[in-house]
Amino acid sequence: MSTTANPTIDLGPGAHGGADHHDHAHDHDHGHHTLTGWRRWVYATNHKDIGTLYLWFSFSMFITGGLMALGIRAELFTPGLQFWQPEFFNQLTTLHGVIMVFGAIMPAFTGLANWMLPLMLGAPDMAFARMNNWSFWLLPPAAALLIISLFVPGGAAAGGWTLYPPLSLQFGMGMDLAIFAIHLLGISSIMGSINIITTILNMRAPGMTLMKMPMFAWTALITNYLLVAVAPVLAGAVTMLLTDRHFGTHFFKAVGGGDPVLFQHIFWFFGHPEVYIMALPAFGVVSQIIPTFARKPLFGYHSMVYATASIAILSFMVWAHHMFSVGMPATAQLFFMFMTMLIAVPTGVKVFNWIATMWQGSMSFETPMLFAVGFVCLFTVGGFSGLVLSIAPVDTQMHDTYYVVAHFHYVLVAGALFSLFGAVYYWLPKWTGNMYSERAGKFHFWWSMVWFNVTFFPMHFLGLAGMPRRIPDYPLQFTDFNAIATVGAFCFGLGQLFFLYNVIHTIRGGVGKAPANPWDSPTLEWEVPSPAPHHTWETPPDEALVKKGLVAQALE
Amino acid sequence: MRFSRVCALAALLPACSFANINGRYNFQTPQTLIAHDINNLHAWIMGVIAVIFVAVFGVMFYSIFKHRKSSGHSARHFHENTTVEVLWTLIPALILVVMAWPAAKVVLAQKDTRDAEVTIKATGYQWFWGYDYLDYGFGYKSKLATPREQIENYKDQGQAKGEHYLLEVTEPLVVPVGTKVRILTTSNDVIHSWGMPAFGVKQDAIPGFIRDTWFKADRVGTFRGQCVELCGRDHGFMPIVINVVAKNDFKTWVDKKQKEAKAAADDPNKVWKLDELIARGKTVYDANCAACHKADGAGGGPFPALAGSKIANGPIAGHLGIVLHGKGAMPAWQGLSDTEIAAVITYERHSFGNKMTDMLQPKDVKAARK
């Protein structure tokens, strides 16, 4: 099986057939290095290269989805229709959601896991290096399908990222392209998850038991269990949409005895764990950064693990809180309200533990720490609005209004995205071997922090006052806050180009060479040189080294 | 969330929630008991949140300012304490109980649709609402009244926008004050959502299913809301307006509507003349079709032109089939009457430069529906 797929096949005459394996085995150190140009990336099996691919892919999707967001905000600057026809506006909101969730946030965390897990666990690579290549390379075609769908007759899917039927049964082939894109993204996610789970369970350094691994590995493990559980559910839901659209089934068509609400139940059974798929890795990143810059071990490691697991389990029991207005019986309404409120408990435990980690520390505020603290502040605000939304009667007023938009942008932008920025600044020295400019990083943080709030905080007021989501035009009383949000969005977007500049500047040398362990952090990834060589931990770290790190993390 | 970032003054928050109810920064002024309850719940929860906010952020920022390396603070290496873990698990859980209890009571009240005095069916259409007064045997459609000239600013400023821009309808829902009104929601095509913020009600309208909600308005007046579930192109353009009137006025209005309904009912067996039918068809077209196919039949974007189209110039049975059953983005127009469908199809075949000679009668449409 492996001979044809072996990346060393292009090395030249003689490097094929049976000899190939042998070659590969003892050529380990330079074999991969000789793959240059596009081959290095297309045939990539190295976890660092694939991690890099994931991260750049996700950044380009972030910019694409961001431009769509700016298209949305531009239209909403003043009342009336200025730029887009309403149907194109709906396509923008739909693609913005799909691209940001499946194209930007999720691949970014998979990329981080790819880059960092083997380094942090003391493993030479991911468990399934070839499958890793395949999971990444499914993403660009999926993204291409989504972009192409804008240009097909009838335009892209315009039913919102939730794709509710019967509306989603009405669209043209743009919807089919979106369905196939989701299939591809789902397959990619499932393979990526299997890879991550296997790596974590089987490839840890000697002496590093599960309860001693870095918190980032824990959140990655739990996240990817969630993903394996729910990605097939989404695939099933969109497949049913597809057969309803083209093959005469009636899963969601009332005329044939189907139930449109069934789709919502299936979608949110995927969708709610999905929320935590995007949030848990962020918790992991923050749990690495805060102890490092507080110069103190993470407080309550065990309760952090249990809290993460509880959130994951509870996430399967709260889906219908997205559906409080479909008209469920009172008992269901009450059950989902209570379960949803319960999630506040483990989430609160995490926040308290982070604060206890900072307490009596010796904190310094380099850019990663700023993003981590920014994350804790704004994620908490997002958690508060989530608590408000969990109260079913209050949700009657908020459902499908801008309050919900504000809420999930607080947890996804200030939550997931800020943690990703923190992670990039934290690990850039390891990735590039260079230090980023601290001044530039801090500027990026403060700029993002200010404009994020200018963009999204007013949306709470809009939602309270009753402005529905996904409308291209609005009544006059909503004008002021929409104008403010639009200004904020454009400034926030501009700031992300500055982030791109920071990263490129660092790759090109930054402000100087990075030491192996610039933050004086005890986890294993800092034990290898900076930049991390192409192959690391080919021989597992010895137990004494692992133990030293664990002692410093107060895990032993 | 209102002022928490700015003031973070715990005590002020619940007060704000009562004082500043004007539909611009906060909920619309509540007009029903349920809306009041929701408001109080929200205020109570915001109060609890404000206290937690101050406590959590207070501790965190105290630490951020005091426990800095730059101010010479050195780290103390504690990292575990089972007692505090148990405490900060149990205390939030208890706080949740005191939040859940009053919320549960409101949920049960919201769901109790028994003993309604008036029942009205609200049907969602792409993109307007239909109201049927089931107890009185009449109904009508309620459509956006804001002219397109105010909405479309693509090339110039368009017309100045009126006070109730996007929140005005051709004919509002009329209900009596102080009466329990039960609203049944359903839909003709996709999922819509019928709601009225000032009344604290919101209920999705789902095709093929009937769901219900209720309200009892305290005061006479006009109240405005919008469809809140994405339902396609004109989702933002199907407002909900409710006129709450005195009970006597409601009776008078119902009488008037019932008489009108009788007078206006098309005799389904009437045989129409071509000119009459075309004139009637134009009104149906402008009210239902022009939003997508445009007043001149030129279409636009994903919506095909009717001028010169194969369907409008092909066999009339095919034309009727498309209107009745829809196709792709074209919804099924089963909700129009036989006369309206016959009229609009005839109109389309004789307008926009289409030069067909055939016509439909209501009985043909009736036959095709079977």
Side-chain angles (χ1 to χ4, degrees), chain B residues 274-348:
Chain B
L274 182 63
D275 293 352
E276 285 176 349
L277 206 53
I278 291 178
R280 178 75 196 277
K282 180 166 167 43
T283 61
V284 179
Y285 182 86
D286 290 344
N288 298 290
C289 318
C292 299
H293 294 294
K294 304 295 172 204
D296 59 357
F303 308 107
L306 298 184
S309 90
K310 271 189 215 150
I311 291 164
N313 295 289
I316 201 160
H319 194 165
L320 177 57
I322 288 265
V323 174
L324 273 180
H325 306 300
K327 186 189 174 192
M330 168 85 175
W333 288 94
Q334 302 269 1
L336 295 178
S337 74
D338 294 345
T339 309
E340 286 170 321
I341 291 182
V344 77
I345 289 178
T346 307
Y347 169 71
E348 286 168 3

Side-chain angles (χ1 to χ4, degrees), chain A residues 81-82 84 87 170 300 303 325-326 328 341 353 360-363 396-397 399-400 457 461 473 480, chain B residues 1-2 24 67 69 73 76 79 85 110-111 126 151 153-154 165 197 202 204 211 228-229 328:
Chain A
L81 297 172
Q82 282 71 236
W84 321 122
E87 60 268 22
Q170 289 184 342
S303 78
S325 69
V326 298
M328 289 181 295
M341 295 174 80
N353 276 315
Q360 294 288 359
S362 174
M363 279 189 276
T396 305
Q397 296 288 49
H399 180 83
D400 258 324
F457 203 74
F461 302 112
D473 190 9
D480 311 348
Chain B
M1 286 287 106
R2 198 154 34 265
R24 200 175 165 104
H67 306 148
K69 192 182 172 204
H73 195 274
R76 288 180 47 205
H79 60 88
E85 299 285 355
Q110 279 182 309
K111 286 285 168 188
Q126 284 176 319
I151 298 171
N153 304 346
Y154 294 118
Y165 177 70
K202 185 177 289 168
D204 289 1
R211 296 286 156 87
V228 277
E229 178 68 52

Side-chain angles (χ1 to χ4, degrees), chain A residues 75 79-87 90 154 158-160 164-167 169-171 254 258-261 264 294-303 324-330 333-334 337-338 341-342 344-345 349 351-353 355-356 358-365 373 376-378 380-381 384-385 387-388 391-401 403 449 453 457 460-461 464-478 480-481 554, chain B residues 1-5 23-28 35 38 41-42 45-46 49 52-53 56-57 59-64 67-70 73-81 84-85 88-90 92-93 96-97 99-101 103-104 106-108 110-111 126-127 148 150-154 161-163 165-167 189-191 193 196-204 206-209 211 226-237 294 300-303 328-331:
Chain A
E75 179 59 63
L81 297 172
Q82 282 71 236
F83 300 104
W84 321 122
Q85 293 285 338
E87 60 268 22
N90 291 346
Y164 282 4
L167 184 61
L169 304 177
Q170 289 184 342
F171 303 116
D259 182 353
V261 177
Q264 299 184 21
R295 296 173 178 77
K296 248 185 87 197
L298 182 67
F299 187 86
Y301 176 93
H302 290 84
S303 78
F324 278 148
S325 69
V326 298
M328 289 181 295
Q333 210 92 342
L334 290 175
M337 177 172 87
F338 295 148
M341 295 174 80
L342 213 50
V345 174
V349 167
V351 173
F352 300 144
N353 276 315
I355 294 174
M358 296 186 209
W359 189 254
Q360 294 288 359
S362 174
M363 279 189 276
S364 58
F365 295 90
V373 174
V376 175
C377 292
L378 297 185
T380 304
V381 173
F384 284 148
S385 57
L387 191 56
V388 172
I391 310 293
V394 178
D395 184 74
T396 305
Q397 296 288 49
M398 316 290 205
H399 180 83
D400 258 324
T401 67
Y403 195 90
M449 184 75 180
N453 282 293
F457 203 74
H460 290 112
F461 302 112
L464 283 169
M467 178 172 163
R469 294 168 71 177
R470 298 163 166 172
I471 54 175
D473 190 9
Y474 49 83
L476 303 180
Q477 74 265 31
F478 303 131
D480 311 348
F481 284 131
Chain B
M1 286 287 106
R2 198 154 34 265
F3 295 132
S4 52
R5 303 286 304 166
R24 200 175 165 104
Y25 309 108
N26 200 340
F27 292 135
Q28 295 184 15
I38 291 176
L41 259 184
H42 182 252
I45 287 157
M46 288 308 297
I49 285 177
I52 301 173
F53 180 92
V56 169
F57 279 65
V59 172
M60 180 162 61
F61 278 92
Y62 177 85
S63 173
I64 285 173
H67 306 148
R68 284 172 171 262
K69 192 182 172 204
S70 56
H73 195 274
S74 55
R76 288 180 47 205
H77 280 260
F78 59 87
H79 60 88
E80 208 146 33
N81 185 328
V84 300
E85 299 285 355
W88 66 39
T89 308
L90 285 184
L96 288 179
V97 173
M99 291 166 104
W101 181 253
V106 181
V107 168
L108 295 177
Q110 279 182 309
K111 286 285 168 188
Q126 284 176 319
W127 292 274
R148 284 267 147 193
Q150 286 187 22
I151 298 171
E152 292 180 4
N153 304 346
Y154 294 118
K161 299 183 191 336
E163 188 195 350
Y165 177 70
L166 297 190
L167 292 176
D189 33 55
V190 302
I191 299 175
S193 191
M196 181 50 60
F199 293 0
V201 292
K202 185 177 289 168
Q203 176 58 56
D204 289 1
I206 300 159
F209 293 82
R211 296 286 156 87
Q226 291 173 277
C227 174
V228 277
E229 178 68 52
L230 178 61
C231 54
R233 204 183 72 111
D234 279 356
H235 163 51
F237 305 95
K294 304 295 172 204
F303 308 107
M330 168 85 175

Side-chain angles (χ1 to χ4, degrees), chain A residues 222 352 402 526:
Chain A
I222 293 173
F352 300 144
Y402 262 80
W526 304 107

Side-chain angles (χ1 to χ4, degrees), chain A residues 33-208:
Chain A
H33 281 293
T34 47
L35 278 179
T36 51
W38 61 270
R39 285 187 181 82
R40 172 175 173 192
W41 303 107
V42 174
Y43 300 155
T45 52
N46 179 287
H47 73 100
K48 300 184 187 76
D49 283 354
I50 292 175
T52 305
L53 285 171
Y54 264 109
L55 291 171
W56 279 113
F57 171 80
S58 122
F59 185 77
S60 63
M61 285 293 104
F62 170 62
I63 294 296
T64 313
L67 285 175
M68 290 171 175
L70 295 186
I72 293 167
R73 287 311 325 169
E75 179 59 63
L76 292 174
F77 183 62
T78 53
L81 297 172
Q82 282 71 236
F83 300 104
W84 321 122
Q85 293 285 338
E87 60 268 22
F88 183 68
F89 180 90
N90 291 346
Q91 294 171 22
L92 284 181
T93 54
T94 305
L95 284 188
H96 166 71
V98 173
I99 286 180
M100 286 303 200
V101 168
F102 296 106
I105 301 288
M106 289 173 68
F109 282 124
T110 314
L112 272 189
N114 255 293
W115 239 108
M116 300 320 299
L117 281 180
L119 285 177
M120 296 171 101
L121 300 175
D125 205 307
M126 297 295 282
F128 305 112
R130 308 262 155 93
M131 189 167 82
N132 210 6
N133 173 293
W134 184 223
S135 2
F136 172 76
W137 281 108
L138 282 176
L139 296 178
L145 285 179
L146 288 175
I147 305 291
I148 289 168
S149 76
L150 276 171
F151 303 100
V152 299
W161 84 283
T162 48
L163 309 174
Y164 282 4
L167 184 61
S168 54
L169 304 177
Q170 289 184 342
F171 303 116
M173 64 189 287
M175 188 70 198
D176 301 316
L177 294 178
I179 289 174
F180 287 133
I182 289 173
H183 277 142
L184 289 179
L185 295 164
I187 295 169
S188 158
S189 292
I190 292 170
M191 291 196 298
S193 315
I194 291 171
N195 214 341
I196 290 170
I197 293 170
T198 314
T199 307
I200 295 175
L201 291 184
N202 294 306
M203 296 172 68
R204 297 186 311 276
M208 188 188 281

Side-chain angles (χ1 to χ4, degrees), chain B residues 33 51 57 93 101 103 111 143-144 239 255 260 290 300 322 360 364:
Chain B
L33 195 60
V51 173
F57 279 65
W101 181 253
K111 286 285 168 188
K143 299 181 182 183
L144 180 71
D255 284 346
E260 273 178 22
I322 288 265
L360 276 178
D364 303 329

